Amino acid sequence: MRRLAIPVLSLALLVGCASHEPSAGGASSAPPPAPESTPSPSSPASESYTFRLPLAVYSYSDADYEVIRSAEQVLARDCMKGFGLSYRPAKNPAPAEAQDRRYGLTDRASAERYGYRMPPRPETPKAKLTEDQIKVLYGNRSAPATAAKNSELRYRGKKVPDEGCLGAAVLGFRKPYEDEAGAEVASRISTASYENSQKAPEVRAVFGKWSSCIKQKGYDYASPMEAMAAPAFVRGKVSTDEKDTAEADVSCKERTGLADVWFAAESSIQKDMIRAEAEALRRLGELHEKKLRAARKILAGA
């Protein structure tokens, strides 16, 4: 399972990043946020719909991301050495429980505990750094905004990269493998396939079955997206009503097979769109593989 690894408005590419007109029932047709963490193949959450879509093969897995992040940290460490400073990054926390919301809430345990809200993410530990380490690691980002303007940061007479050793490592390693055209294609397919799938007859039919099911439980929503976006369920504390609604939502999804029907419809749409953009996506995939190989080479030499 893979995650698209190109920065598009800071969102994973398997979710769309544009805003759209509301669909029938008042719910937005824009794809929901991506999972908080990508499941590993051995995880119960490996049945994530988002990362089983055809488009997901043009992306990175969590393990791939960790290889790349580790390589960037090695480059930052080597840069710090050039200034006579040591650097050992803090270890990443255990990943948060994966939450795939592309087709709405599907996790019963999460519904019972958090309603429609995302489970809390584990706190990221901070590396213990001296003032000198912070200055060189983060460059002008560590300085007050007023002092950072038009200033050249130096340490022991040596110029510090404007973005610091860490920023320089990340940006320098990323640049050779950027593919804005491929990223745009992947993002466009992700958004369009999500929107178009909602118009498929089988998806509209299963929405109707879901709506009838949840109405029998005392709730009136035309679609799962409408329920999840209810104002009372996105602000303030999680209420008992929100948890009850979320549980009914998941129960009706299970009873009607809504997520499976929707996934099948969108998968079919994506396959056609991918065939039409095969060359752009092929290049995107190739650059991903090259970046991974480069990252592994850095780690092997570390």
Side-chain angles (χ1 to χ4, degrees), residues 2 59-61 63-65 67-68 173 177 286-298:
R2 307 180 129 201
S59 61
Y60 297 128
S61 68
D64 294 338
Y65 271 119
V67 168
I68 292 168
F173 185 58
Y177 310 102
E286 288 177 351
L287 287 171
H288 285 177
E289 293 302 321
K290 287 181 179 179
K291 186 173 184 178
L292 268 177
R293 287 197 297 270
R296 293 188 183 107
K297 186 175 180 180
I298 290 171

Side-chain angles (χ1 to χ4, degrees), residues 6-169:
I6 316 134
V8 178
L9 303 188
S10 301
L11 296 180
L13 279 185
L14 281 180
V15 300
C17 57
S19 60
H20 305 280
E21 295 299 319
S23 61
S28 170
S29 59
E36 288 294 309
S37 80
T38 304
S40 64
S42 60
S43 165
S46 63
E47 291 306 302
S48 160
Y49 290 103
T50 298
F51 299 114
R52 288 192 291 124
L53 284 166
L55 190 60
V57 300
Y58 300 99
S59 61
Y60 297 128
S61 68
D62 256 7
D64 294 338
Y65 271 119
E66 184 59 25
V67 168
I68 292 168
R69 190 198 74 86
S70 297
E72 292 167 347
Q73 294 289 348
V74 168
L75 294 175
R77 181 203 66 187
D78 292 347
C79 173
M80 295 284 282
K81 283 182 180 178
F83 289 89
L85 295 170
S86 62
Y87 171 58
R88 179 177 292 182
K91 291 184 178 179
N92 278 346
E97 180 183 354
Q99 288 288 315
D100 186 355
R101 301 290 177 90
R102 192 167 183 88
Y103 306 131
L105 179 63
T106 56
D107 186 335
R108 183 181 291 273
S110 183
E112 293 172 353
R113 188 171 181 181
Y114 305 110
Y116 284 103
R117 320 302 173 92
M118 285 288 188
R121 303 185 68 174
E123 187 175 342
T124 302
K126 296 181 179 179
K128 295 181 179 179
L129 302 171
T130 66
E131 287 187 11
D132 284 351
Q133 286 174 316
I134 291 172
K135 176 180 178 180
V136 177
L137 186 65
Y138 297 110
N140 281 327
R141 290 182 298 161
S142 68
T146 53
K149 289 182 179 179
N150 302 317
S151 64
E152 183 179 270
L153 193 62
R154 304 187 76 84
Y155 180 76
R156 293 180 180 175
K158 185 176 179 180
K159 185 182 184 305
V160 176
D162 290 342
E163 58 281 337
C165 278
L166 182 57

Side-chain angles (χ1 to χ4, degrees), residues 3-4 7 29 46 65 68 81 108 169 171 180 195 199 201 216 242 247 253 261 266 280 297:
R3 194 165 46 183
L4 285 161
S29 59
S46 63
Y65 271 119
I68 292 168
K81 283 182 180 178
R108 183 181 291 273
L171 295 174
E180 292 184 6
E195 292 176 345
K199 303 170 187 174
Q216 293 173 9
E242 178 178 344
E247 289 178 53
K253 281 193 180 83
V261 171
E266 185 173 15
K297 186 175 180 180

